[in-house]
Structure formats: structure tokens, C-alpha cells
Amino acid sequence: MRPPARAQDARGQDRAGGRGGGRGRAPRAPRPRSSSRSSPRRSPPRGRPRPAPPRRSAARASRGRVSKVTAPTMELSPYAQGGWRLLGDPRRFPCRPYAALLRAAFRSLLEHPHAGLDDPDLKDIDPTVLKHCHAAAATCILEAGKQKADISAISTCLEDCKLDKERIEQFCTEYQKNKDALEILLGSIGRSPLHITDVSWRLEYQIKSNQLHKTYQPSYLVTLNVENSDSGSHPDVSFSCTMEQLQDLVGKLKDAAKSLERATQL
């Protein structure tokens, strides 16, 4: 009966070894780290400077910072360009009719719509061509005044219409002479009404009429000093009226002032 005892002794040794704190166990091998984990970022050595970021292009870096200032440009309609091509043709418009048409265009804008068209130098020009070229010249004058174009912009516009240097200089000279009056005219065209700053009047006594008839009628010359809020100065407004007309005007102005006073008290 010895074999069972040996087995029992062997089991006892195993239990004893287990109670001994595991001295007889072999050390476990470390588990391999998963390759999916990212390795920690290594900071560059302290002695080496960090590499600079790539430079952006100058055009991209200056986007939104530098604005290009463009000179005013003049644009004419095809109809106006066709009229200026006719004006640039010496066979249709020699020197004297060309100069007369320029004067007529400026006078029609600054004085009267039909002023200057009865010039003797224009009598040999076809009326249809004359009307077309007159409208083209007036359009160019207004466009130059509206854009406040300089001589270079006007010259570029007229060069595109096939005008020679001499005719371009002639137009620019005429434009410079009438530039101030043209700016006042364009400044008076606006949405805001004129504002009266002062009033002056003068009494005249008419004794005789043009037919040498005795009238003995007094009349008043009234001058209104006005200004425009858009352009500032503006030419004075003058008119003549009789005593009855002046009394009627004063009465209407008083009614308007009372209506405005009642409106402000509401």
C-alpha cells in the first residue's frame, strides 16, 4: 500500500509550495505592447530652433490689406462713340465746323438747349449728322463732368473713338474753360431742394414802355440767395414782379409758415 502514500506526499508538497508565497513559480513574461498605440511626440532638443512654417505667397498674404486705387474711366454708349467717329473725320467735319460744334455743345448745356446750332460754320453739315454729333459731344461733356475725369481719362476715351491728338487737345481746352460752370450745373441737379439763405429786393419805377407809352408802374426785383446741401454754392435766383404779385407771394409764405408751426405743435 505504499504507492498511495507517495501520491499523498506529492500533493502535500504541492500544497506546501503553494503556501510558501509562490517562490517556486517562474516569472511571467511581459505582455507585448500593441502596435496600434502611437508613440509619444518627441520635443526637439533645446539647443535647436524649431523649423519656420512655409511662407505664403506675397499676393496671398496681402489679400484684403492693400486696395488698388483706379483712376476714373469714361464709358460712352455705342451711339455716342459713332458720333465721335464722325467728328474725328476731317472730311465730314473740317477744323472750323468741329470747333463750332464743340462751342455749340457747351452752350446748349450751360445756356440754352438750342444755343449755337445756328452758327454759320455749321450750315454745310447734314442736319442728321449734325444732330447725331451734337448729342455725342454733349454726352461726353456730361460724362466727363459726372466722373470728374482728368485730361488723361478724356484723352483715352477720345482716342478709342479714333480722334487725332489735335482734336483731342481742342476738346480738352474747351472743357477746361467751362469746367467750373459745368460742375455747378451738375451740382444743382439732385434730390434735395434748394435752401434759401437770404433775400434782397429793389424797387423800380417804370415810366415808359418800349413803345414809348407812359405806364407809371412800379415793379420789384427780388433776388433769392440759395444753396444746395449736396454741392454747397448755387447761383442766385432772381425774378421781377408787381406789387400785387409780391403781396400774393408774401401771403402764401405766411400761410406755409403757419401750417409748419401747427404741424410741429402736434
Side-chain angles (χ1 to χ4, degrees):
M1 301 301 288
R2 291 289 180 188
R6 288 179 181 176
Q8 185 177 3
D9 293 341
R11 288 195 299 270
Q13 290 177 359
D14 293 338
R15 292 175 182 176
R19 294 189 191 101
R23 293 178 183 177
R25 295 181 181 179
R28 296 181 179 180
R31 295 180 180 179
R33 294 184 179 180
S34 176
S35 60
S36 61
R37 294 182 181 180
S38 60
S39 58
R41 296 182 62 182
R42 295 181 180 181
S43 59
R46 294 183 180 181
R48 297 180 182 178
R50 293 186 178 181
R55 295 182 179 180
R56 295 180 296 177
S57 61
R60 185 178 179 183
S62 61
R63 185 181 300 173
R65 296 180 183 178
V66 179
S67 58
K68 187 178 179 181
V69 179
T70 58
T73 58
M74 293 176 52
E75 295 182 0
L76 298 179
S77 63
Y79 181 81
Q81 292 178 2
W84 273 104
R85 290 189 183 96
L86 294 175
L87 285 171
D89 188 358
R91 294 172 297 179
R92 290 182 177 269
F93 279 89
C95 294
R96 292 176 64 89
Y98 175 78
L101 182 66
L102 292 184
R103 293 193 301 268
F106 279 98
R107 289 183 60 189
S108 64
L109 292 174
L110 302 175
E111 298 178 11
H112 192 273
H114 301 288
L117 290 177
D118 55 351
D119 194 294
D121 293 331
L122 299 174
K123 63 180 181 179
D124 296 332
I125 306 297
D126 183 19
T128 304
V129 176
L130 181 63
K131 181 180 178 181
H132 186 186
C133 296
H134 180 268
T139 302
C140 183
I141 294 169
L142 292 176
E143 183 68 16
K146 182 178 68 174
Q147 299 293 339
K148 295 184 177 180
D150 52 7
I151 300 301
S152 61
I154 298 175
S155 301
T156 302
C157 179
L158 296 182
E159 285 174 359
D160 295 339
C161 299
K162 310 302 180 183
L163 264 75
D164 56 16
K165 184 177 180 181
E166 182 180 356
R167 300 204 172 199
I168 293 175
E169 291 179 352
Q170 193 172 356
F171 176 82
C172 292
T173 302
E174 197 72 24
Y175 177 77
Q176 289 294 331
K177 290 193 299 184
N178 299 275
K179 182 179 180 181
D180 295 339
L182 182 64
E183 290 181 353
I184 294 176
L185 173 66
L186 294 177
S188 63
I189 304 174
R191 298 180 179 179
S192 58
L194 299 177
H195 178 66
I196 299 176
T197 58
D198 196 5
V199 180
S200 59
W201 58 274
R202 186 173 73 250
L203 176 61
E204 288 188 347
Y205 199 81
Q206 186 177 3
I207 300 176
K208 294 182 180 181
S209 63
N210 295 334
Q211 291 78 21
L212 300 179
H213 296 159
K214 296 182 179 180
T215 56
Y216 300 106
Q217 182 180 2
S219 62
Y220 292 89
L221 293 178
V222 182
T223 301
L224 303 178
N225 303 121
V226 295
E227 66 178 7
N228 195 325
S229 59
D230 296 334
S231 61
S233 61
H234 190 277
D236 296 338
V237 178
S238 300
F239 59 92
S240 176
C241 61
T242 62
M243 182 183 298
E244 292 79 11
Q245 292 173 341
L246 184 59
Q247 290 176 350
D248 183 59
L249 175 62
V250 173
K252 291 180 179 179
L253 292 176
K254 289 181 179 180
D255 294 340
K258 291 179 180 179
S259 299
L260 182 61
E261 184 178 357
R262 287 194 299 267
T264 54
Q265 292 176 356
L266 295 179

